[in-house]
Amino acid sequence: MSPKQLGSQQFQIAPSLLASDLSCLKEEVIALEKAGADVLHFDIMDGHFVPNITFGPTVLESVRKHTQLPFDAHLMISDADQYLDEFARVGCNWLSVHVEACPHIQRTLTRIRDLGMKAGVAINPGTSLFSLESVVKHCDFILVMSVNPGFGGQKFIAPMIDRVRELKKNLSGTNVKIQMDGGIKLENIAEVAGAGVDIAVVGTGLFSSKDYSSQISKLRSAAGNR
Ligand code: DX5
Ligand code: ZN
């Protein structure tokens, strides 16, 4: 497993396990690797920063040995700093924290990198891109939320496409990747990829199909086989 995969020039698909059958997570991660997923996205919610509770690092630990794919944990929690070491310990490779939830964001991102993980900053649809200005050099990727975080299966917020275009321009000359998360499906993934997204998180847009392999191929080809 190589967290370096974040540096890939190719468009990547990151299934969001929140939409999987959590009663058989082991089988799901094995099936996703076989089906050609690039990275596994885990949505960590605390019932405080977002109005929903999901799972924590012990769940990632329980499936870590069943796949070689990189693990990408999206922390939607109020006190991220308290849990960074634990996510590294269980074998997480990419870790994103919300700019809205981290009062000392440069310190948080530096700690994530020091722990050997790729550091990401997530930004809610209602937060200005200006809040990222001083953190770009401390991160490896920016997670543009295309829904308000908290639940899977929400409607894609279309103006976030323009946000990605603007961000892409601002990031030119850097190695910082753009990840987008929320409401991405076959119908809009071409626009998402065309705007400059490098990694698309897909939940219900993938798990609504029984055949992950064919759905991932369809998503990739709709994205233009980038
Ligand atoms: C929302 C999560 C997303 C979501 C994606 O808070 O961060 O990862 O589960 O699921 P879909 O693709 O169904 O919107
Ligand atoms: Zn997510």
Side-chain angles (χ1 to χ4, degrees):
M1 140 210 3
S2 168
K4 284 200 200 82
Q5 280 191 33
L6 182 60
S8 161
Q9 290 313 306
Q10 273 178 339
F11 184 73
Q12 297 189 299
I13 297 194
S16 162
L17 274 306
L18 185 60
S20 71
D21 181 350
L22 293 172
S23 72
C24 50
L25 195 54
K26 171 182 163 185
E27 285 73 21
E28 292 284 58
V29 303
I30 292 170
L32 289 164
E33 179 165 6
K34 230 168 137 187
D38 297 297
V39 51
L40 298 178
H41 183 87
F42 291 89
D43 287 305
I44 314 297
M45 306 186 188
D46 66 352
H48 188 257
F49 177 64
V50 291
N52 194 6
I53 300 177
T54 54
F55 35 75
T58 36
V59 171
L60 275 67
E61 185 174 25
S62 72
V63 286
R64 181 60 286 185
K65 56 183 170 297
H66 300 295
T67 173
Q68 294 294 308
L69 290 178
F71 277 12
D72 164 34
H74 171 194
L75 303 191
M76 287 160 274
I77 64 179
S78 295
D79 190 1
D81 292 310
Q82 204 187 323
Y83 301 97
L84 306 179
D85 293 50
E86 186 59 3
F87 277 98
R89 189 192 67 77
V90 301
C92 194
N93 309 103
W94 310 1
L95 194 63
S96 59
V97 294
H98 268 263
V99 67
E100 301 85 2
C102 296
H104 313 293
I105 187 90
Q106 283 92 346
R107 185 190 293 159
T108 305
L109 294 168
T110 301
R111 180 70 189 149
I112 294 173
R113 282 176 158 179
D114 286 350
L115 286 164
M117 298 179 284
K118 298 292 182 185
V121 185
I123 180 164
N124 282 341
T127 304
S128 164
L129 280 186
F130 286 123
S131 62
L132 299 181
E133 232 173 343
S134 63
V135 302
V136 165
K137 54 179 167 303
H138 300 278
C139 69
D140 301 293
F141 65 104
I142 290 173
L143 197 185
V144 176
M145 291 305 301
S146 39
V147 298
N148 286 289
F151 303 95
Q154 301 183 78
K155 191 174 178 297
F156 186 78
I157 300 176
M160 293 302 109
I161 290 287
D162 284 339
R163 160 163 289 198
V164 170
R165 289 200 186 102
E166 189 183 338
L167 193 56
K168 191 78 183 172
K169 252 192 272 159
N170 298 344
L171 293 176
S172 78
T174 75
N175 286 324
V176 179
K177 301 286 180 191
I178 302 179
Q179 183 179 49
M180 191 171 221
D181 184 6
I184 300 177
K185 303 195 179 315
L186 260 182
E187 301 81 78
N188 57 17
I189 200 162
E191 219 188 342
V192 165
V197 167
D198 302 291
I199 309 126
V201 176
V202 188
T204 44
L206 168 59
F207 292 94
S208 54
S209 162
K210 291 261 170 292
D211 185 343
Y212 301 161
S213 177
S214 122
Q215 191 69 2
I216 288 176
S217 304
K218 285 182 195 161
L219 287 161
R220 243 189 249 291
S221 74
N225 282 316
R226 276 157 219 275

